[in-house]
Amino acid sequence: MTNTFNDGGSQLCVQLLKETFEKSEGQTLHLQHQRQVDSLIFFALTTIQRGLSKKTNDGECIVSYKCRLELLHLIYQYVFRVDASIQSQPTAIIPLFLRTKVGIIFSQLIQIDFPQPWHSAFTDLIQVCAAEKTCSCVVDILRKDLYLRVLDGFCDEVVENTSLERNTLIKDYIRGIECRIASAVPADKSISAEILHTIFCIFQTNVHVMYMPRKNTPGALEWQKLPILALSVLKRFISWLDMSLILTENNIALLFECINRAGPGDVDEDNGDGSLASQCSLEAVCCLKELVSRGMEQKKKIEMIMSINLLQRIDNSCIDFDRIDGTHINIVIKTAELVNNIGSELLHFWDTISNKTESTEDRKALSPHMVLLMNLFFKCFLFDDIDVSGAVIPLACQILASFQKERKTHVQENVFKISLYISQLQSVMYEQMKYPTDFEFDYEDENEAEEEVYRSELRKINQAITRISPEMSLDFLCSTLSKFHTHLSLVQTNEVEAVLRLIYHYCEGLRPPPGNKTALKNHQFREVLISLHKSDITSHPHREILILYFDIAVRYSEILEDMPELLPNVLSAISGNKGLQHDHPRVRSRSCYLLLKLVKALGSTLRPMVESAITGIQGLLSNQMLSLHPDDSLYLFETIGLLLGQTNLDNEEQHRYLLAVISPHIQMINTLISSPDLRNNIDVYGSQLAFSVAAIAFITKGFTKKQSKEVQSILAETMPSCLNILRAAPENDDVRNKTMIYLQRMIQCVGEQVLVNMDEFLQILIARSTQEDILDVAHVFHQICLKFKGNAIPVADITILPLLQKVSAFINENSGGVQNDLSGYQDAEILHFKKIIYVSLMQVVKSHCTPILLSSENVSSLEMILKMVGDGALLVPDPLIKKTCIQVFHELTEQWLVNDHIAKSSGIVSGFRSYLLDILIPGMFRIFLRGDFNEKDASHFRVVREIAQIVFLLKSKCGLNIEQYMATVFPEHKQMKGEFVAMNLADTQGALERVMASYLQMMKKS
């Protein structure tokens, strides 16, 4: 039992394995029984694996050396089958999950015992593997497979786990690098050379089997997969072994020979990864990618790429860049990634040597490879699969960055020039921007979402070209448009969509910003827009073309201001059956929003059309056949507001139009409220009433300037009706939500007339508020205080206490009456509600509504309110809340103690002063002196500054002697008398702050 506890049960599991192997040896088990045996072996090995990964306090493995030796012997005897006493040959190969597990266990043993005491670990493995020997039986296949899986596990356990110093030591020993346990040896004499040799031997001696028809014998599939597994392991060793062992002509030729034998994309094994030949080719490409990605000195990497003629070999390979399924798509994707990596290295080096006169020979040598790079880049970029094309988009961006640098330097005539390829890059980019002909523009479809992401990356390329050379970008745009010899309405959807995208996004790369205004300074681009507006584009049958055209009209709306004769066609289209009245809901929705944006942009330009526009929009809103979404309808109401408020109508016209727009809503509200079915169907009626309130609120968004008395009067007259809605359906969430939006707009639009009914609005909203909307209610209260200051006192007086009580109730609900042992979520919720209390009180005192705290309604709760704020300053850790609470006390000090806003004889003055001097200020100083308070932190220092303001007011205006006060409150700090004197002598608030900061720092040091 003791041993079981110490080694995690590993010894017992080794014994169990031994018994299981011995019992099963030489027997042909029933399939179900064999599976049970395999499962038993797997779980035993898993237990051992866990034990091997654990260490004692001394850093030793908890599994004893003796147990590890016994385990190793079992693996060699019964898995590798090297024991001569075992005569039977297996009739089936060990399952994959067991072979993988054995590889991990074996690699753990190497990690623990190699090179000492098990110095022959790899030599033993290589000898058992017999890599150069052709497989003649299941055991030969099994040994090679296991050998490769051990190496794969070794990469997991040792190579990639760099946190252990021992792993680095093992890697150095294998590579022949000098370390504390061995001297350096030549790379070709190192263990790593033997490992690589066996990997290549396994690949080379078995690759022919992969291309042959599979035999119906045990291990036939595993035999055919040996070359794939060999390259998969090789890929992992390339990243850290000596490059000279890998970069031989024979090795590179073997990889490309494998690539050239890739199978077509329409041939698949049962796993969906292509034929075995394709899978092997994929691993070969991955090996090359690992070569290029390996970290090394830049020039050496370039020399490596050139010396093995990598680009030429890729170009000459049998990978089919022209036809989908000509080569399996996984190989083409990975090759595109390889080209991208090579290109990144070459371009970076090219940029480095371009400005150096001494690098002329380097540029000449590199130029042919750059030409090959561009050839391969365009093959990948033009490939009809977004994963292949998308793989080289980073290279396209780097090409443009190099192009930008090239424009600033002189390039010799006989060397490679990036500028010669930019027009081709534009052409390919434009071709790839075209959506597939069967693209449905379904924004919830994952595959189509991937297409959209790909095209957004292409647009970044277009943006970069425009930023580097606006003229080139515009010339390409005009050239593309000139190829359309027919009406735009007849052009294929993907063709016209791509060119409209070029127009829409053209401004995004222009400088100076905003790009749309810069674009319209160009006469050629203006002509493009004029031609577009005069074309029959709005007759195109596809909905996305219509939406994109309207987007263009809005983005470049300034040209419509300059040429108002173009406006009627645009407005007619966006408001007619090509826009707002289109059959498709997406077109209707976007048209509502874009019409709003267009009207907002054009402003007074639309004055001659106001009457017809408002009449038309009202007609659309009343048309039940359109089935507009409520949010889209609100866009239209806001549009009406903009037409009334932003088009320079005179007061009489504004009054007339606004009355005509508002009156139907008031009538509807009165009709619905008086309905006898209201209470029986409150949800339906509530939604209708809430919509009417929202409609009025959105109309007022157009009135941003100070409004005439006539406009204010009409808007103010809506308040009783909206209050009736709130009275009738206060429990309806939608009604409350829309009412709060409405009130915020009324505060801005009708001035003090809003105060007439505001007290009842707030009382109902506070009483019916939920944890989700109390913050919005508080915002209305804050706006009232900020906007109307002292005039808001009658409203604030009635509503402040109910607001504080409601929020306090929510705090109690979340805490359950207990302030300790709360979850992080509960703490965050409670803090959220406390902020509402503190900010509300700060708005009251800063807006000079402070008298409400002393009114007959609230004076009895004053002590509770002050304690609540004081607890926020003293007990809540958040420095922003501390600052807010102290600001409340600072304002009260100004108003009550300095400016005599209440009678000096009042007991409130003396009580407040005592609270400041006896509780708040001493408490804050004790917080300042705590180790977790850092006065050098900006947010913490703001708290110190707020306290300094209060102390300075008490000193300069109320006669407080700081020296005596500090000595009395902090007698234990008598050694700081000099600092107390300095505080008393400080003649400015800033000076007091500095002395206080110095005092705090000195106290903390002592």
Side-chain angles (χ1 to χ4, degrees):
M1 291 297 294
T2 304
N3 185 53
T4 300
F5 177 79
N6 289 339
D7 68 1
S10 297
Q11 182 64 60
L12 287 176
C13 285
V14 169
Q15 187 61 36
L16 178 62
L17 284 175
K18 183 178 180 181
E19 293 174 3
T20 303
F21 284 138
E22 288 175 349
K23 287 181 180 179
S24 304
E25 184 58 34
Q27 296 185 30
T28 303
L29 302 177
H30 186 271
L31 180 61
Q32 186 63 30
H33 188 193
Q34 184 63 57
R35 286 176 177 171
Q36 292 174 350
V37 171
D38 291 342
S39 296
L40 178 63
I41 294 171
F42 177 81
F43 288 115
L45 289 173
T46 300
T47 303
I48 295 169
Q49 178 187 351
R50 290 171 182 163
L52 291 172
S53 63
K54 294 178 181 178
K55 307 288 184 184
T56 64
N57 293 334
D58 298 331
E60 297 295 324
C61 178
I62 65 169
V63 181
S64 69
Y65 178 61
K66 179 182 177 182
C67 181
R68 298 199 301 269
L69 277 179
E70 190 175 355
L71 173 64
L72 182 63
H73 177 71
L74 284 175
I75 292 173
Y76 269 129
Q77 183 176 10
Y78 291 103
V79 182
F80 280 97
R81 308 189 74 80
V82 296
D83 193 332
S85 64
I86 298 179
Q87 300 296 325
S88 63
Q89 290 293 321
T91 57
I93 200 160
I94 297 173
L96 174 61
F97 69 92
L98 279 183
R99 302 200 306 273
T100 303
K101 182 64 72 174
V102 169
I104 294 170
I105 296 286
F106 208 102
S107 62
Q108 284 182 302
L109 293 173
I110 292 174
Q111 197 272 337
I112 296 167
D113 292 324
F114 178 82
Q116 294 295 337
W118 189 19
H119 66 277
S120 62
F122 286 100
T123 306
D124 295 344
L125 262 176
I126 291 168
Q127 185 177 353
V128 170
C129 166
E132 299 179 6
K133 179 183 175 183
T134 304
C135 296
S136 59
C137 61
V138 171
V139 172
D140 290 340
I141 299 168
L142 179 63
R143 289 174 177 174
K144 291 175 173 59
D145 182 280
L146 285 170
Y147 170 73
L148 293 172
R149 295 188 189 280
V150 170
L151 295 181
D152 198 43
F154 177 77
C155 289
D156 290 328
E157 299 295 325
V158 178
V159 177
E160 294 181 2
N161 184 4
T162 56
S163 60
L164 298 177
E165 182 182 350
R166 174 169 179 77
N167 289 351
T168 303
L169 184 72
I170 293 171
K171 286 163 63 179
D172 288 345
Y173 184 86
I174 289 172
R175 288 181 291 188
I177 298 174
E178 183 178 358
C179 56
R180 59 181 174 83
I181 59 172
S183 302
V185 298
D188 60 343
K189 303 295 183 183
S190 65
I191 295 173
S192 61
E194 296 181 56
I195 292 172
L196 284 177
H197 176 71
T198 56
I199 293 173
F200 276 108
C201 278
I202 292 172
F203 173 80
Q204 201 166 4
T205 57
N206 296 282
V207 69
H208 67 285
V209 180
M210 186 174 62
Y211 304 118
M212 295 168 57
R214 188 175 307 149
K215 297 178 181 179
N216 189 21
T217 56
L221 177 60
E222 287 73 13
W223 189 7
Q224 288 187 308
K225 285 188 173 183
L226 280 178
I228 302 172
L229 183 57
L231 292 187
S232 175
V233 172
L234 174 65
K235 171 182 64 182
R236 304 189 70 180
F237 276 81
I238 286 174
S239 64
W240 62 283
L241 295 187
D242 193 294
M243 293 293 283
S244 64
L245 302 175
I246 302 160
L247 288 175
T248 67
E249 176 57 29
N250 183 57
N251 291 345
I252 302 300
L254 280 175
L255 292 177
F256 273 100
E257 183 181 345
C258 180
I259 292 171
N260 290 332
R261 298 286 298 271
D266 55 359
V267 176
D268 260 333
E269 289 290 312
D270 54 4
N271 58 8
D273 292 330
S275 64
L276 295 180
S278 293
Q279 293 176 47
C280 195
S281 296
L282 180 65
E283 293 297 340
V285 176
C286 289
C287 288
L288 295 172
K289 189 166 175 266
E290 197 64 44
L291 271 176
V292 176
S293 302
R294 177 167 169 164
M296 66 176 76
E297 185 184 332
Q298 187 185 49
K299 189 168 184 178
K300 287 185 177 180
K301 183 173 288 189
I302 301 303
E303 290 171 350
M304 176 199 75
I305 293 170
M306 293 168 62
S307 65
I308 63 175
N309 211 6
L310 190 52
L311 287 167
Q312 186 68 66
R313 281 177 139 147
I314 296 172
D315 195 36
N316 292 343
S317 71
C318 296
I319 298 173
D320 193 337
F321 289 103
D322 299 319
R323 295 178 301 122
I324 291 288
D325 287 338
T327 304
H328 196 277
I329 192 62
N330 289 352
I331 300 171
V332 186
I333 292 170
K334 199 59 68 174
T335 304
E337 293 174 3
L338 173 60
V339 170
N340 185 76
N341 289 4
I342 296 171
S344 177
E345 299 290 347
L346 293 184
L347 278 170
H348 185 66
F349 185 68
W350 181 263
D351 291 341
T352 303
I353 63 175
S354 290
N355 294 327
K356 298 179 180 179
T357 54
E358 66 272 18
S359 300
T360 303
E361 292 304 316
D362 286 338
R363 288 196 294 273
K364 287 182 179 179
L366 190 55
S367 288
H369 296 272
M370 296 298 289
V371 173
L372 280 168
L373 170 66
M374 297 307 293
N375 180 41
L376 282 170
F377 161 72
F378 283 118
K379 284 183 178 181
C380 295
F381 195 24
L382 193 55
F383 195 82
D384 190 17
D385 181 275
I386 61 173
D387 291 320
V388 176
S389 181
V392 294
I393 284 181
L395 180 56
C397 296
Q398 197 169 344
I399 288 169
L400 292 174
S402 296
F403 170 55
Q404 186 174 19
K405 294 173 184 175
E406 184 182 281
R407 282 165 59 90
K408 299 176 182 178
T409 59
H410 172 70
V411 182
Q412 296 177 7
E413 291 297 324
N414 58 343
V415 297
F416 170 78
K417 291 183 182 178
I418 293 176
S419 56
L420 299 177
Y421 297 90
I422 302 303
S423 60
Q424 186 180 356
L425 176 59
Q426 286 179 295
S427 298
V428 176
M429 175 202 69
Y430 173 68
E431 286 301 316
Q432 297 296 67
M433 282 177 67
K434 298 174 186 176
Y435 286 99
T437 54
D438 60 349
F439 192 73
E440 295 291 334
F441 293 93
D442 181 355
Y443 295 98
E444 294 183 359
D445 184 277
E446 289 186 9
N447 292 331
E448 295 209 346
E450 290 176 3
E451 292 275 356
E452 182 56 38
V453 169
Y454 167 69
R455 277 159 187 83
S456 69
E457 295 298 317
L458 291 176
R459 290 165 201 148
K460 291 177 184 177
I461 296 175
N462 183 51
Q463 183 179 338
I465 295 172
T466 306
R467 185 173 60 250
I468 297 166
S469 179
E471 303 81 9
M472 181 180 290
S473 181
L474 185 56
D475 286 345
F476 178 77
L477 169 58
C478 295
S479 172
T480 304
L481 273 170
S482 67
K483 295 174 183 177
F484 297 143
H485 300 301
T486 184
H487 295 296
L488 289 180
S489 63
L490 302 176
V491 177
Q492 191 168 304
T493 298
N494 63 346
E495 295 272 355
V496 72
E497 196 276 343
V499 78
L500 287 180
R501 283 287 172 194
L502 292 179
I503 297 172
Y504 180 77
H505 294 286
Y506 174 69
C507 67
E508 293 174 1
L510 294 180
R511 299 291 183 272
N516 56 344
K517 293 188 179 297
T518 303
L520 289 172
K521 293 177 182 178
N522 186 298
H523 174 74
Q524 190 178 9
F525 186 70
R526 289 176 70 91
E527 288 299 317
V528 168
L529 291 175
I530 293 168
S531 298
L532 180 63
H533 285 307
K534 289 182 177 181
S535 73
D536 66 342
I537 189 67
T538 55
S539 296
H540 198 282
H542 201 285
R543 65 181 187 274
E544 293 298 324
I545 301 304
L546 298 173
I547 293 173
L548 188 48
Y549 167 67
F550 296 147
D551 272 314
I552 290 170
V554 171
R555 172 164 279 192
Y556 302 107
S557 59
E558 191 176 301
I559 199 168
L560 300 176
E561 292 184 69
D562 299 339
M563 301 184 67
E565 64 271 20
L566 298 174
L567 254 177
N569 288 339
V570 177
L571 291 175
S572 174
I574 201 170
S575 60
N577 59 10
K578 303 297 182 182
L580 290 171
Q581 301 179 60
H582 196 276
D583 293 336
H584 199 281
R586 172 168 155 76
V587 181
R588 295 198 297 271
S589 178
R590 285 294 294 168
S591 296
C592 290
Y593 173 73
L594 292 172
L595 178 61
L596 168 65
K597 297 279 286 183
L598 189 62
V599 170
K600 190 178 290 187
L602 294 177
S604 58
T605 307
L606 294 169
R607 179 169 180 175
M609 308 172 190
V610 168
E611 183 170 4
S612 60
I614 291 176
T615 304
I617 293 173
Q618 282 186 297
L620 293 171
L621 287 166
S622 61
N623 185 351
Q624 299 299 317
M625 301 296 292
L626 284 182
S627 302
L628 290 175
H629 190 277
D631 289 343
D632 297 329
S633 297
L634 292 178
Y635 285 141
L636 294 182
F637 282 116
E638 186 176 350
T639 302
I640 291 175
L642 289 170
L643 288 167
L644 295 176
Q646 305 293 322
T647 53
N648 295 335
L649 296 175
D650 58 44
N651 291 346
E652 182 182 346
E653 287 178 308
Q654 268 192 339
H655 180 272
R656 177 162 51 87
Y657 289 136
L658 182 59
L659 189 62
V661 171
I662 294 287
S663 295
H665 290 285
I666 301 301
Q667 293 171 8
M668 181 184 292
I669 289 169
N670 294 334
T671 301
L672 291 173
I673 287 177
S674 61
S675 171
D677 295 328
L678 174 62
R679 296 309 307 170
N680 296 328
N681 203 354
I682 194 67
D683 289 339
V684 174
Y685 278 79
S687 296
Q688 294 175 7
L689 291 166
F691 181 76
S692 291
V693 174
I696 298 171
F698 274 69
I699 288 171
T700 65
K701 286 188 175 185
F703 299 95
T704 54
K705 302 175 184 176
K706 187 175 181 181
Q707 300 307 314
S708 65
K709 291 182 179 179
E710 293 82 1
V711 169
Q712 287 188 350
S713 175
I714 293 173
L715 295 176
E717 288 172 4
T718 66
M719 293 196 68
S721 296
C722 292
L723 180 56
N724 286 336
I725 293 175
L726 189 60
R727 288 170 180 157
E731 70 275 26
N732 187 282
D733 292 343
D734 207 17
V735 166
R736 292 199 312 277
N737 178 270
K738 297 302 189 292
T739 299
M740 286 184 277
I741 296 172
Y742 165 81
L743 290 176
Q744 290 174 359
R745 290 302 311 153
M746 290 298 106
I747 291 168
Q748 301 301 319
C749 292
V750 305
E752 292 183 7
Q753 295 181 69
V754 78
L755 296 174
V756 176
N757 303 111
M758 185 57 74
D759 54 348
E760 188 174 356
F761 270 113
L762 279 175
Q763 283 177 313
I764 297 173
L765 288 171
I766 291 169
R768 292 288 187 161
S769 63
T770 64
Q771 294 191 24
E772 287 71 31
D773 64 14
I774 187 63
L775 179 60
D776 296 323
V777 179
H779 281 163
V780 176
F781 178 85
H782 300 164
Q783 272 192 288
I784 289 290
C785 295
L786 285 170
K787 180 77 174 178
F788 304 112
K789 296 188 167 41
N791 292 333
I793 286 177
V795 175
D797 187 30
I798 298 173
T799 53
I800 181 62
L801 198 56
L803 176 62
L804 299 181
Q805 290 170 340
K806 189 73 173 183
V807 179
S808 297
F810 291 147
I811 292 175
N812 289 332
E813 285 178 23
N814 278 273
S815 65
V818 179
Q819 292 299 316
N820 298 322
D821 298 325
L822 299 177
S823 68
Y825 173 77
Q826 287 175 307
D827 280 337
E829 285 293 296
I830 290 171
L831 188 62
H832 163 73
F833 292 124
K834 286 183 176 180
K835 284 180 181 178
I836 294 175
I837 291 176
Y838 304 137
V839 173
S840 298
L841 289 168
M842 187 180 72
Q843 296 298 348
V844 166
V845 298
K846 281 207 164 190
S847 301
H848 297 282
C849 295
T850 315
I852 69 172
L853 299 178
L854 305 175
S855 71
S856 58
E857 292 273 348
N858 304 315
V859 69
S860 61
S861 302
L862 178 61
E863 184 177 352
M864 178 270 292
I865 292 172
L866 292 180
K867 184 179 184 308
M868 192 183 298
V869 181
D871 288 347
L874 295 169
L875 302 178
V876 179
D878 190 305
L880 291 177
I881 286 184
K882 288 184 182 294
K883 176 191 167 189
T884 301
C885 293
I886 296 170
Q887 282 178 328
V888 173
F889 284 110
H890 174 228
E891 288 292 334
L892 291 176
T893 303
E894 285 257 18
Q895 295 175 34
W896 287 355
L897 301 185
V898 176
N899 296 329
D900 299 331
H901 283 184
I902 55 177
K904 287 285 187 184
S905 59
S906 169
I908 292 172
V909 172
S910 60
F912 179 68
R913 180 186 173 100
S914 296
Y915 181 82
L916 290 179
L917 296 175
D918 299 342
I919 297 176
L920 181 70
I921 296 173
M924 291 308 300
F925 267 94
R926 290 187 178 92
I927 289 172
F928 296 160
L929 291 170
R930 287 198 322 229
D932 59 351
F933 187 91
N934 180 13
E935 65 278 359
K936 294 181 181 180
D937 179 87
S939 60
H940 285 200
F941 183 72
R942 292 188 190 103
V943 180
V944 176
R945 175 174 289 170
E946 293 297 332
I947 284 293
Q949 288 180 337
I950 295 176
V951 173
F952 188 75
L953 278 175
L954 292 172
K955 168 187 174 293
S956 59
K957 303 294 183 181
C958 303
L960 175 69
N961 186 307
I962 301 179
E963 178 188 351
Q964 295 177 4
Y965 171 71
M966 293 296 288
T968 302
V969 174
F970 298 107
E972 68 273 20
H973 297 173
K974 59 184 178 181
Q975 74 274 22
M976 304 301 296
K977 182 177 180 180
E979 297 299 315
F980 296 162
V981 171
M983 288 185 198
N984 200 53
L985 294 175
D987 55 355
T988 65
Q989 178 190 313
L992 179 59
E993 288 174 16
R994 290 189 290 274
V995 176
M996 282 177 58
S998 173
Y999 160 68
L1000 296 175
Q1001 291 170 14
M1002 291 174 67
M1003 283 302 302
K1004 287 183 178 181
K1005 288 179 181 178
S1006 64

